[in-house]
Amino acid sequence: MPYVRHWLRNSVLLFATAIALGLVAAHTRLIQPHDLDLDRTIQTHSRTGWLNHTMEAVSACASPVAGVIILAVWCGWLLFVKRRPIAASATFLVVAIGWNSTQIAKAIVARNRPPREFMLDPEIGSNSFPSGHTAFTVAVAIAVFFLFRESRHRRTVVVCGVFAVLLVAFSRMYVGAHYPTDTFGSVLIASSAILFVTGLWHAWLLPNLERLPVLGGLLGRYGLAEERAALAAADRDGEYAGYDEHAHPAPGHGRHRRHAGR
């Protein structure tokens, strides 16, 4: 996980911007008519039988149930198979917090869903702003980028991540579950939460993984000391690539200057 300068300030500003956007969209007429018009345009000019099924399937892949399964399998593979407990911990935090941060925004903004008569599969869940499905996809895309950001696959990861976010966002508007500003707001909300996580990770969590109740022992059993040693050796040699999801030790170890801003 990279070290981000001014993480607290940037996180708060991004979150405040997203909330302001949501409140304006939900409780004024500055955005709402345009949101509704764009939704109707997508649904009127794009819907066909095969695409309906495709977009519903795309949306289902980022649903709460699918999200929990994906996160559990992914982090379990990193921990138990690859024996990379730091990577598993960082990935879990980025995805879980980036995804679930939307619940705070939903409670604050309290925007109603689009009219039910235009939904392919009427939503019975929480408020509309922001889109939890899109936020989950954003969080996954960022977590994957953190894993590969210094490898030769980083550009491919970025392109695939952007495509995945756009596809899920489009699917949520296509099925009638969200407005365009809901999906854009989820990008801002998830990003602000992940910025906050990067700060906590380097300031407190990474240096104290061994001390976490219950989890510290589990992480230690599956290679925490070995992974720290590998990271330290790679940092000294300047040859570390593709392993930087946990590239920074506790503040003061000298690595912040090298990696800050990457």
Side-chain angles (χ1 to χ4, degrees):
M1 192 185 298
Y3 176 76
V4 181
R5 296 180 62 188
H6 310 302
W7 57 271
L8 181 58
R9 180 192 66 187
N10 293 339
S11 174
V12 171
L13 287 175
L14 201 56
F15 184 81
T17 299
I19 294 299
L21 173 65
L23 290 173
V24 170
H27 303 293
T28 75
R29 294 193 57 81
L30 292 176
I31 297 176
Q32 178 77 3
H34 306 291
D35 259 357
L36 195 57
D37 285 345
L38 184 52
D39 263 1
R40 295 296 164 266
T41 299
I42 292 172
Q43 293 152 11
T44 301
H45 297 287
S46 302
R47 281 182 176 171
T48 59
W50 69 270
L51 193 55
N52 290 353
H53 296 304
T54 301
M55 289 297 104
E56 287 179 319
V58 169
S59 186
C61 288
S63 67
V65 173
V68 169
I69 294 172
I70 290 169
L71 185 57
V73 171
W74 186 10
C75 293
W77 178 76
L78 286 171
L79 178 60
F80 301 118
V81 178
K82 302 299 290 184
R83 299 182 69 88
R84 296 174 62 184
I86 300 178
S89 302
T91 298
F92 178 82
L93 286 171
V94 167
V95 177
I97 295 179
W99 180 20
N100 287 286
S101 61
T102 58
Q103 297 305 313
I104 300 173
K106 284 177 181 289
I108 295 173
V109 173
R111 187 183 199 184
N112 293 327
R113 295 274 184 181
R116 292 172 64 90
E117 60 265 27
F118 296 102
M119 293 184 182
L120 289 180
D121 185 14
E123 292 279 341
I124 58 174
S126 56
N127 296 327
S128 187
F129 183 96
S131 164
H133 290 63
T134 308
F136 170 75
T137 311
V138 170
V140 168
I142 292 175
V144 174
F145 175 73
F146 284 173
L147 288 170
F148 290 95
R149 71 190 181 98
E150 289 190 0
S151 78
R152 59 190 177 88
H153 303 294
R154 60 180 296 170
R155 291 184 181 178
T156 302
V157 167
V158 170
V159 171
C160 291
V162 171
F163 175 77
V165 170
L166 292 176
L167 181 62
V168 171
F170 177 80
S171 76
R172 299 306 287 160
M173 293 182 286
Y174 183 96
V175 302
H178 285 287
Y179 296 104
T181 49
D182 297 341
T183 59
F184 179 66
S186 65
V187 176
L188 301 181
I189 292 291
S191 298
S192 71
I194 292 169
L195 273 176
F196 187 76
V197 168
T198 64
L200 290 184
W201 176 256
H202 294 294
W204 183 77
L205 286 170
L206 179 58
N208 294 288
L209 285 176
E210 294 89 344
R211 301 182 181 90
L212 294 176
V214 181
L215 285 177
L218 179 64
L219 298 178
R221 183 182 306 172
Y222 285 93
L224 181 56
E226 292 83 351
E227 192 172 19
R228 284 199 189 278
L231 291 172
D235 187 51
R236 287 194 301 270
D237 296 340
E239 296 174 354
Y240 178 72
Y243 217 91
D244 56 288
E245 62 280 4
H246 40 266
H248 300 276
H253 283 210
R255 202 183 298 187
H256 289 85
R257 291 189 299 273
R258 181 186 298 184
H259 294 280
R262 285 192 184 180

